[in-house]
Amino acid sequence: EVQLLESGGGLVQPGGSLRLSCAASGFTFRSNAMSWVRQAPGKGLEWVSAISGGGDRTYYADSMKGRFTISRDNSKNTLSLQMNSLRPEDTASYYCAKELVLGAVGTVGFDIWGQGTMVTVSS
Amino acid sequence: EIVLTQSPGTLSLSPGERATLSCRASQSVSSNYLAWYQQKPGQAPRLLIYSASSRATGIPDRFSGSGSGTDFTLTISRLEPEDFAVYYCQQHVGSWTFGLGTRVEIK
């Protein structure tokens, strides 16, 4: 069964740090680009960051650049998101998602999602 | 950054009715990079449509997508009870952005 399982969420004070993890199973992890997407309580979806299958290319939403770092360990089938200088507006459920790639077209959507891990930034 | 505007914000319909959801982009989007998702309360989003009109694996054929350029549509031909949810469109020009969603509720 194809599965993504996030962990690492919790309560953190403004300015603090947190590291999220996503354990992948049921597919060839190293062959797939991955993304993080977040959702503030009662709000819509916001793309956070993406990483290529080999981990050599990373991408970030402008509001996350310089504060968040995406990485992966293909030997452990694990995706990570290091979040520093956290702000109250970073409070959200964070989902990892597998990118659906169609050959030369590239990524056309996110076809597998984890259940999400909640991050709360508050004093 | 391309902004996606979804309308209506809420759609009140009865089971068996047809639902038509709109997604308008602030700039032209390649059809290759327009997707639709369904999200139910407490659940992760589920990919329904990619490349504007291709159904994802396991998605029933009552879901269809169409459109090009700046105007895209998700149609649910006959609403089933499990279809009442929030629907998001998503595009990829530069970075990924989502619309704010359309809630399809039971009338």
Side-chain angles (χ1 to χ4, degrees), chain A residues 37 39 43-45 47 95 100 102 105 107-111 113-114, chain B residues 32-33 35 37 39 43-45 47 50-51 88 90 92 95-96 98:
Chain A
V37 177
Q39 186 171 36
K43 302 297 184 182
L45 301 167
W47 173 77
Y95 296 97
L100 175 63
L102 292 186
V105 173
T107 298
V108 295
F110 304 154
D111 62 342
W113 296 65
Chain B
N32 284 326
Y33 305 117
Y37 297 83
Q39 188 178 32
Q43 295 185 18
L47 178 65
Y50 63 90
S51 298
Y88 294 96
Q90 177 200 36
H92 185 197
S95 65
W96 290 99
F98 293 87

Side-chain angles (χ1 to χ4, degrees), chain A residues 40-84:
Chain A
K43 302 297 184 182
L45 301 167
E46 180 182 23
W47 173 77
V48 172
S49 181
I51 188 168
S52 61
D56 54 320
R57 286 169 282 137
T58 58
Y59 310 90
Y60 299 91
D62 287 345
S63 60
M64 271 64 94
K65 279 179 187 174
R67 299 191 301 126
F68 290 9
T69 303
I70 192 171
S71 62
R72 64 191 298 160
D73 184 340
N74 286 342
S75 69
K76 297 181 178 178
N77 288 354
T78 300
L79 176 72
S80 296
L81 184 69
Q82 176 67 42
M83 303 186 295
N84 299 329

Side-chain angles (χ1 to χ4, degrees), chain B residues 60-83:
Chain B
D61 60 7
R62 63 180 182 272
F63 291 93
S64 63
S66 63
S68 64
T70 59
D71 290 301
F72 298 88
T73 300
L74 175 70
T75 301
I76 311 172
S77 60
R78 290 181 312 279
L79 283 164
E80 296 288 340
E82 62 268 27
D83 298 337

Side-chain angles (χ1 to χ4, degrees), chain B residues 86-107:
Chain B
V86 179
Y87 293 84
Y88 294 96
C89 58
Q90 177 200 36
Q91 70 80 33
H92 185 197
V93 174
S95 65
W96 290 99
T97 58
F98 293 87
L100 294 180
T102 290
R103 179 180 304 277
V104 179
E105 65 176 25
I106 299 177
K107 186 174 182 180

